[in-house]
Amino acid sequence: MAKEKVLVTGIVPKEGLTELMEKFDVTYSEEPFTREYVLENLHKYDALLLMGQKADKELIEAGENLKLISLNAVGFDHVDIEFAKSKGIVVSNSPQAVRVPTAEMTFALLLAAAKRLAFYDKIVRDGNWIDPSERKYQGLSLEGATLGVYGFGRIGQTVAKLAQSFGMKVLYHDTFRLDEEKEKELNVKYVEFDELLANSDVITIHAPGLPATKGKFNKEAFKKMKNRSYLVNAARGPIVVEADLVEALKTGEIAGAGLDVFEFEPKVSEELRALDSVIMAPHAGTGTIEGRITLAKEAADNIIEFFAGNARNVVNP
């Protein structure tokens, strides 16, 4: 019997695809396929392992024989999941593999922002020196400080554990509140959004990119935050209004930010890039060799399990 055909787009490490390649007829390239290639050839495939492309209506229409789109990512805002569903195509994401690498990146940004490493690094690289005894040059101590977590799923909970190891207290806000026993187990407290803004020394964002979260951190939100507080975003760029963040940083409404994602990425405004109160990364939350291999394997396993009759990680049931 002929094997099902799978197309892999984007830069996906081959080490994570070993079992997939043994069981399926896989089209893979070290160089990313162009969108034109995908549109022209997608009709030949039963499944798509998607990386680095948008699965909009045009692409989904081209996959007339597709049964599954497996995302090499946890986020699915680059996929028209309802249109895929209308075409009978299942969409699965890969939530587990991104958990630890993204949490680590979040905490790296948190530490760098709170300790003002971008500013300090620039001073020294420019051949200058400062006296950190002056208050205007000082950052934030994490021990005893309060972390506010916006979006308390797998990644948010992992960040909370890391924060607690530094002696931080943890508040969280999410659409779905945990039960009381789980909150006690995790040693966290649920608060409304405005309370999260007002009482957190650092806020980390871990919500998905949805219409309800778009622009959630805006001019009004920044006014409610402490002027010594920091914002960290390694989730989705459009959750933060970039122009409002720039204004909040310039006026001292908040002290600093750590950003791995941006509202209009890969474009980052010149105003934001000019601020030494911000530490930035190029959407590299899962940018480790181990993390990317694990991610590829999870996306591949989604395909293997689907064709074995065990669909998992489905985001458009």
Side-chain angles (χ1 to χ4, degrees):
M1 192 171 78
K3 295 179 179 179
E4 288 90 355
K5 294 172 69 69
V6 179
L7 175 62
V8 180
T9 68
I11 302 173
V12 179
K14 201 170 185 178
E15 300 97 313
L17 305 178
T18 303
E19 187 177 359
L20 185 73
M21 289 178 165
E22 290 172 355
K23 295 183 176 181
F24 294 81
D25 180 0
V26 178
T27 301
Y28 171 88
S29 173
E30 299 280 348
E31 296 295 322
F33 291 112
T34 65
R35 182 174 174 86
E36 290 72 26
Y37 177 90
V38 174
L39 291 175
E40 186 178 338
N41 291 279
L42 193 55
H43 67 278
K44 305 172 187 175
Y45 294 92
D46 302 289
L48 177 65
L49 197 160
L50 187 69
M51 174 67 178
Q53 301 258 1
K54 272 193 172 184
D56 53 15
K57 288 183 180 179
E58 182 186 34
L59 187 141
I60 291 167
E61 286 277 19
E64 56 191 64
N65 293 305
L66 276 184
K67 301 169 186 66
L68 174 70
I69 299 173
S70 181
L71 307 179
N72 197 69
V74 63
F76 47 85
D77 51 327
H78 58 307
V79 180
D80 192 330
I81 60 171
E82 291 306 318
F83 187 68
K85 184 176 180 178
S86 76
K87 293 291 186 179
I89 301 170
V90 172
V91 180
S92 293
N93 69 344
S94 303
Q96 192 57 43
V98 303
R99 179 181 63 85
V100 171
T102 306
E104 290 176 345
M105 172 60 87
T106 298
F107 217 81
L109 290 168
L110 188 161
L111 279 167
K115 300 305 177 185
R116 304 196 64 184
L117 291 187
F119 170 63
Y120 290 160
D121 182 77
K122 185 176 186 302
I123 290 292
V124 178
R125 284 181 187 275
D126 288 347
N128 299 316
W129 205 255
I130 58 169
D131 183 356
S133 299
E134 293 187 51
R135 180 169 292 203
K136 65 181 179 180
Y137 297 139
Q138 294 170 355
L140 174 74
S141 290
L142 299 188
E143 186 174 22
T146 297
L147 175 70
V149 182
Y150 177 67
F152 206 60
R154 293 178 180 86
I155 298 170
Q157 290 179 30
T158 304
V159 170
K161 289 179 182 178
L162 293 173
Q164 287 164 345
S165 71
F166 279 79
M168 299 185 80
K169 296 171 283 189
V170 178
L171 307 176
Y172 81 96
H173 179 79
D174 196 291
T175 307
F176 303 101
R177 182 176 178 177
L178 301 175
D179 61 52
E180 192 174 331
E181 285 303 311
K182 188 66 174 176
E183 288 181 349
K184 284 181 180 178
E185 177 190 331
L186 297 175
N187 193 25
V188 298
K189 180 183 177 183
Y190 174 87
V191 293
E192 295 298 333
F193 183 63
D194 282 358
E195 191 176 345
L196 189 86
L197 297 174
N199 294 310
S200 300
D201 298 297
V202 181
I203 293 177
T204 63
I205 299 173
H206 305 290
L210 301 170
T213 62
K214 185 176 181 180
K216 188 73 173 179
F217 286 82
N218 52 28
K219 187 181 301 183
E220 291 72 26
F222 295 130
K223 286 178 179 176
K224 294 173 183 176
M225 290 173 64
K226 299 179 181 182
N227 59 18
R228 283 199 66 213
S229 65
Y230 294 82
L231 180 73
V232 177
N233 187 11
R236 284 292 180 263
I239 296 174
V240 178
V241 180
E242 188 169 296
D244 292 353
L245 174 61
V246 169
E247 187 64 22
L249 291 165
K250 282 184 171 181
T251 59
E253 283 181 341
I254 67 172
L259 305 172
D260 185 42
V261 292
F262 303 86
E263 186 176 11
F264 304 110
E265 63 181 62
K267 182 181 177 182
V268 181
S269 72
E270 186 176 345
E271 283 188 294
L272 185 62
R273 288 186 281 115
L275 296 173
D276 58 25
S277 54
V278 183
I279 183 82
M280 293 177 276
H283 204 146
T286 59
T288 67
I289 293 170
E290 297 82 3
R292 288 299 175 98
I293 292 172
T294 304
L295 181 58
K297 188 175 188 311
E298 185 170 10
D301 286 347
N302 285 341
I303 298 171
I304 294 167
E305 291 298 316
F306 175 83
F307 286 101
N310 303 310
R312 63 179 207 170
N313 296 326
V314 177
V315 297
N316 65 339

